[in-house]
Amino acid sequence: MRIILIGPPGAGKGTQAESIKAKYPIAHISTGDMLRENVRSGTELGKKARAFMDAGKLVSDDLIIDMMRARLRADDARAGFLLDGFPRTIAQAEALDGLLKEMSIELDAVILLEVSDDTVVQRLASRRVCSSCGAIYNAIAHPPKIEGVCDICCSKVIQRDDDKESVIRNRLAVYHEQTSPLIEYYDKKGMLHRIDANVAKDFVLKYLETLNAAGNV
Ligand code: AP5
């Protein structure tokens, strides 16, 4: 199974990826998580990416494509993968097409999580994440059992630096300008599946199971 999840910030890509990888043995590849890990460990890539991420802008295509070239060839991606946050521009989508061609593999589906801008702002302002394992919470709808402590690994639960309202608005503007053209790109290839992501969380997994049962992914 080789799938791309696309959608605005806060659409629920990370949340859906957690349930999908619990059910299917495929690699969850999140460029946002990879970049945050590079920032935490102070790598050259992390140093270059940090200012863009904090401002809600995209990191340059060249850096992202180099990072993904190596990641897609890793052993755990052989059984399939779920791309979360990549591609995010037409240039990245074209580079991905080239990489997959070199590897003689094809994508199965692109799942678009559609959600309103108001819902995005509301969800991200209340999102909390584990500073260690990355588990996703919501201070209103899905808080950790003990405030500020991760249910899974007991580490500190924090607010992401880019979840401040002014940065959220920038991220949304960047999505509409630079990422939404991917909708037409994949629709023209006949790969796009639209899902209303304003609804309950388990709906996306159910939809994917239907596609899987029908042999579409
Ligand atoms: P990244 O980490 O990819 O952030 P994003 O795309 O903005 O997406 P988010 O992680 O914010 O949201 P999500 O859709 O995963 O939502 P979540 O499941 O957490 O990227 C961060 C930055 O890195 C970018 O701004 C950029 O600088 C850089 N970057 C990354 N990739 C790049 C690339 N390819 N090129 C260039 N730069 C790149 O859910 C959000 C909240 O909503 C949670 O609290 C959750 O509990 C709640 N929620 C989720 N689903 C539901 C539901 N159905 N109902 C109710 N609540 C829900």
Side-chain angles (χ1 to χ4, degrees):
M1 199 188 267
R2 298 185 198 96
I3 304 168
I4 299 179
L5 276 183
I6 56 174
K13 302 181 292 297
T15 301
Q16 296 304 332
E18 280 182 7
S19 4
I20 293 168
K21 74 181 178 194
K23 167 107 196 184
Y24 299 101
I26 56 176
H28 169 211
I29 303 180
S30 156
T31 42
D33 287 348
M34 291 167 77
L35 290 168
R36 280 184 288 279
E37 182 51 40
N38 275 276
V39 170
R40 264 195 297 276
S41 11
T43 65
E44 277 310 306
L45 170 60
K47 284 176 194 158
K48 286 180 187 154
R50 182 168 199 159
F52 292 97
M53 296 173 77
D54 285 350
K57 294 180 182 164
L58 294 185
V59 175
S60 80
D61 287 336
D62 291 352
L63 291 176
I64 297 289
I65 293 164
D66 279 351
M67 181 175 87
M68 289 303 284
R69 182 173 287 119
R71 183 64 186 91
L72 286 171
R73 291 179 185 277
D75 285 350
D76 69 333
R78 287 209 184 133
F81 50 75
L82 175 67
L83 301 183
D84 159 4
F86 176 85
R88 244 173 160 103
T89 61
I90 295 288
Q92 291 182 18
E94 289 171 349
L96 176 63
D97 289 345
L99 288 174
L100 296 177
K101 202 168 169 195
E102 275 170 38
M103 295 167 71
S104 307
I105 54 177
E106 288 181 3
L107 283 175
D108 293 307
V110 177
I111 297 180
L112 169 65
L113 302 180
E114 293 183 296
V115 69
S116 71
D117 286 4
D118 286 346
T119 303
V120 164
V121 176
Q122 197 190 347
R123 281 187 190 172
L124 291 185
S126 52
R127 173 170 58 186
R128 302 292 181 269
V129 291
C130 174
S131 55
S132 177
C133 73
I136 303 166
Y137 298 95
N138 190 285
I140 299 164
H142 168 47
K145 289 185 187 110
I146 302 171
E147 198 183 333
V149 180
C150 178
D151 294 348
I152 299 165
C153 72
C154 297
S155 300
K156 200 171 169 193
V157 169
I158 55 163
Q159 184 167 33
R160 257 170 58 174
D161 287 341
D162 59 352
D163 279 348
K164 297 183 195 102
E165 189 164 341
S166 58
V167 184
I168 296 170
R169 299 269 174 205
N170 282 349
R171 289 162 63 199
L172 266 173
V174 166
Y175 172 78
H176 290 303
E177 209 176 287
Q178 298 187 55
T179 305
S180 65
L182 293 179
I183 298 170
E184 194 186 345
Y185 182 86
Y186 286 116
D187 202 15
K188 278 191 181 154
K189 288 176 181 272
M191 301 180 104
L192 192 78
H193 301 265
R194 293 171 184 267
I195 295 191
D196 179 359
N198 293 287
V199 296
K201 290 178 193 167
D202 61 354
F203 192 80
V204 178
L205 184 61
K206 285 191 183 135
Y207 183 82
L208 194 61
E209 281 168 349
T210 315
L211 287 181
N212 195 18
N216 288 328
V217 294

